[in-house]
Amino acid sequence: LAELVGVSSPTTAQHILFALIVMACFTAVNVIGLQMLRFTVNIGIACELVASVGVGIALILGFRHQSPHILVDTSLVPAGTHFGPAFIAALAVAGWVLLGFDACGALAEETRDAARKVPRAIVLSIISVGIVDIIAAIGLMLATPNIGAVINGQVPDPVSNAVTSAFGGWAQKPFLAI
């Protein structure tokens, strides 16, 4: 939110203010009711799906800086460190992203025939999100201009870096907004 409104290095007070604004927006959507929540979630999912799949495929097809071999190459791991902890961390993040969708079950009381529909919705959302995340991750990795700088921590935001280096600076704000 800070970057979207042009604040590149927010202070602690600004971080708190932006967090309160976001929480107020989320609270307002929840207070308005289930229809507004459903509409907001559906818009968010549609934007994320179009952006992640669209950007991922565009990066894979038109803006590759890396060979597909980079997807399985561990040779850039810094000397004296091990690949294992990074791999475990990546699995944990992926698991958190995918399994976070089991929260759909919390809305079961709002669903007709919940015993049949909720498990199906959870499985479909996990599969869908997994496919979308894999496409986006592969596209971002292949489009990263300097993968070594990302691994060494010299690039603080590798996602925005890959997107803006591929599409240009104009893409940064729309990408953040989505």
Side-chain angles (χ1 to χ4, degrees):
L1 182 58
E3 283 188 53
L4 282 175
V5 298
V7 179
S8 59
S9 297
T11 64
T12 301
Q14 288 171 322
H15 276 294
I16 292 169
L17 176 64
F18 290 130
L20 290 172
I21 290 169
V22 169
M23 288 176 17
C25 291
F26 292 164
T27 301
V29 167
N30 279 307
V31 167
I32 291 171
L34 189 58
Q35 292 296 83
M36 181 63 169
L37 180 61
R38 183 178 298 127
F39 174 77
T40 305
V41 168
N42 287 338
I43 292 294
I45 290 170
C47 289
E48 182 69 26
L49 180 67
V50 169
S52 293
V53 172
V55 168
I57 290 173
L59 293 175
I60 291 169
L61 296 178
F63 300 99
R64 285 192 0 220
H65 291 282
Q66 307 295 328
S67 162
H69 178 63
I70 196 74
L71 300 172
V72 294
D73 184 9
T74 60
S75 66
L76 292 173
V77 175
T81 61
H82 299 284
F83 174 72
F87 183 72
I88 300 285
L91 284 177
V93 169
W96 174 73
V97 168
L98 293 176
L99 296 179
F101 280 87
D102 70 351
C104 296
L107 297 176
E109 69 273 4
E110 303 291 338
T111 305
R112 289 186 198 106
D113 194 17
R116 189 174 62 82
K117 290 183 179 177
V118 170
R120 183 172 181 248
I122 292 170
V123 169
L124 286 175
S125 63
I126 288 172
I127 290 169
S128 302
V129 168
I131 291 169
V132 168
D133 285 351
I134 289 169
I135 290 170
I138 289 171
L140 290 166
M141 287 178 68
L142 295 178
T144 297
N146 186 347
I147 200 83
V150 170
I151 291 170
N152 291 327
Q154 298 166 342
V155 177
D157 183 2
V159 174
S160 292
N161 180 51
V163 170
T164 55
S165 71
F167 298 114
W170 69 268
Q172 185 171 4
K173 287 206 181 206
F175 185 74
L176 283 173
I178 290 172

